[in-house]
Amino acid sequence: MWSNLILLHSNDPVGNPLDDAGLEVWQTCQRNIAFGDRRLFPIAESERFYKGYEVFHGFEAYRFLLEVVSGLRSKLFGESEIQAQFRDRFREEKVNESTFALSLLRLRDQILEHTKQIRSKYLTGLGRQTYGSVAESYLQKHKSVTLLGTGKLATSILPYLISKDKEVRLIGRNQTKLNDLQKEFPITTHHWEDYQPGEEAIVIASSFLPFNWDSMIESSSFILDFRETTIKNHNYKNYIPLSQILSDLQETDEQIQSVKMDLQFFLTELTREREEEQIHIMNGWEDLLV
């Protein structure tokens, strides 16, 4: 069904954005993905890179997207938050202005259906599968928590902290986001320039640390850092970088490796089913120009 589907992918969620009428862009905290149809965004099937993006074609593109939405390509293997991000990005009201809106909605529904199958069959009970639950596991002894950031990662962690009755301060630079989240959750909010951290626990969920925040958080009792880059030569008391978080989660690694092997076969079968549909629907995104 998706022979004309193209997917462009970059692990850089900030740099080199794509802006083309023939593409629908989805950005997460880990990656940029753009969808298109070869008939609207001509690109040779042999082309594997475009402006710094990996290019996936047809059913290979479908499989790659399925792996991303299922959390199989996330640093936290099997994490479930990416599925909600995909669903929310491609809600009907957000795509109905697209040239190929109906096709996008069908693609969304099919990906979500297959993601549900993957999660229920292979990922149920596979350790901690959300960044929020991981953060909460490290912060059990901390009543007061300062969360740095207002992006997708921070907003996925926030409900877990609230559910455990933490006293949460949210720090960010987007005042609109701060106001919206303060209406939704029982938290206090501060702009970066207006807050002086103390001895409370700190969760870094933003790649943006302005001014002299590196030194300002030295008095914190505990620091959980979800950024790619690790703070070196610091004087922090208890500092947990992302590399250690992922290492701590290796307790389920043997189980994960077994699941990965089974999943490869299952993904191949799902993709083959889509490819067989092409026998009946020769043009791929058949409703594209309807």
Side-chain angles (χ1 to χ4, degrees):
M1 187 175 180
W2 308 110
S3 63
N4 286 313
L5 174 66
I6 57 170
L7 184 148
L8 285 71
H9 169 257
S10 170
N11 281 317
D12 182 0
V14 179
N16 197 22
L18 288 169
D19 184 17
D20 190 285
L23 295 171
E24 285 288 327
V25 178
W26 173 37
Q27 185 180 77
T28 75
C29 57
Q30 291 185 20
R31 62 187 81 245
N32 266 334
I33 291 179
F35 308 99
D37 184 288
R38 269 204 303 270
R39 291 165 293 179
L40 293 179
F41 191 82
I43 187 168
E45 194 164 351
S46 59
E47 198 163 347
R48 308 304 297 181
F49 294 94
Y50 176 84
K51 294 185 177 181
Y53 282 71
E54 297 177 273
V55 180
F56 297 86
H57 299 267
F59 303 104
E60 181 188 27
Y62 184 88
R63 176 170 177 153
F64 181 88
L65 179 60
L66 182 58
E67 290 180 9
V68 170
V69 178
S70 300
L72 308 183
R73 288 183 175 264
S74 300
K75 289 181 174 61
L76 181 60
F77 180 80
E79 60 114 341
S80 56
E81 286 150 1
I82 191 74
Q83 180 181 355
Q85 291 177 23
F86 175 77
R87 181 195 62 227
D88 292 343
R89 167 60 182 86
F90 294 100
R91 288 189 184 280
E92 187 168 354
E93 64 270 19
K94 293 186 178 182
V95 302
N96 57 16
E97 296 299 322
S98 169
T99 307
F100 43 96
L102 186 55
S103 290
L104 276 174
L105 292 173
R106 288 181 177 176
L107 176 65
R108 177 203 65 187
D109 292 345
Q110 203 164 83
I111 288 290
L112 290 176
E113 176 191 341
H114 284 156
T115 297
K116 184 178 180 180
Q117 292 179 35
I118 289 171
R119 299 201 65 82
S120 62
K121 191 170 184 177
Y122 294 100
L123 301 178
T124 301
L126 192 65
R128 296 178 288 256
Q129 294 174 336
T130 67
Y131 287 97
S133 59
V134 170
E136 191 277 322
S137 70
Y138 284 100
L139 296 166
Q140 293 180 17
K141 297 179 181 179
H142 299 271
K143 179 66 176 175
S144 181
V145 179
T146 293
L147 180 60
L148 309 183
T150 57
K152 295 181 178 67
L153 179 56
T155 53
S156 69
I157 292 173
L158 185 56
Y160 285 84
L161 302 181
I162 298 301
S163 70
K164 298 299 179 180
D165 296 322
K166 306 289 186 186
E167 178 187 318
V168 180
R169 301 172 188 84
L170 184 66
I171 315 299
R173 53 179 171 171
N174 186 323
Q175 194 60 52
T176 301
K177 267 277 190 71
L178 289 171
N179 293 340
D180 290 344
L181 290 168
Q182 189 170 34
K183 292 176 183 177
E184 186 176 354
F185 298 101
I187 58 175
T188 57
T189 62
H190 305 268
H191 195 271
W192 287 106
E193 298 177 347
D194 303 327
Y195 183 69
Q196 181 71 40
E199 296 184 356
E200 76 275 19
I202 299 281
V203 177
I204 305 177
S206 169
S207 58
F208 177 77
L209 277 186
F211 319 118
N212 58 337
W213 267 79
D214 283 2
S215 59
M216 288 171 64
I217 58 178
E218 286 185 352
S219 61
S220 301
S221 58
F222 184 83
I223 299 173
L224 192 62
D225 191 350
F226 281 97
R227 297 176 302 167
E228 297 277 351
T229 54
T230 299
I231 299 176
K232 297 179 180 178
N233 303 319
H234 59 78
N235 296 314
Y236 304 148
K237 301 172 187 175
N238 296 294
Y239 175 64
I240 308 293
L242 179 61
S243 58
Q244 184 176 333
I245 294 171
L246 296 176
S247 177
D248 290 346
L249 292 172
Q250 291 304 307
E251 62 193 38
T252 58
D253 187 58
E254 187 175 331
Q255 185 181 1
I256 286 174
Q257 292 308 316
S258 175
V259 167
K260 283 182 177 179
M261 293 178 64
D262 292 339
L263 272 168
Q264 290 307 308
F265 176 77
F266 188 62
L267 286 165
T268 299
E269 289 300 302
L270 286 178
T271 307
R272 183 178 297 142
E273 288 177 11
R274 303 286 71 75
E275 197 162 0
E276 287 174 353
E277 289 181 11
Q278 183 64 19
I279 297 171
H280 306 289
I281 308 171
M282 295 304 295
N283 291 323
W285 293 48
E286 71 285 358
D287 55 338
L288 176 66
L289 301 176
V290 174

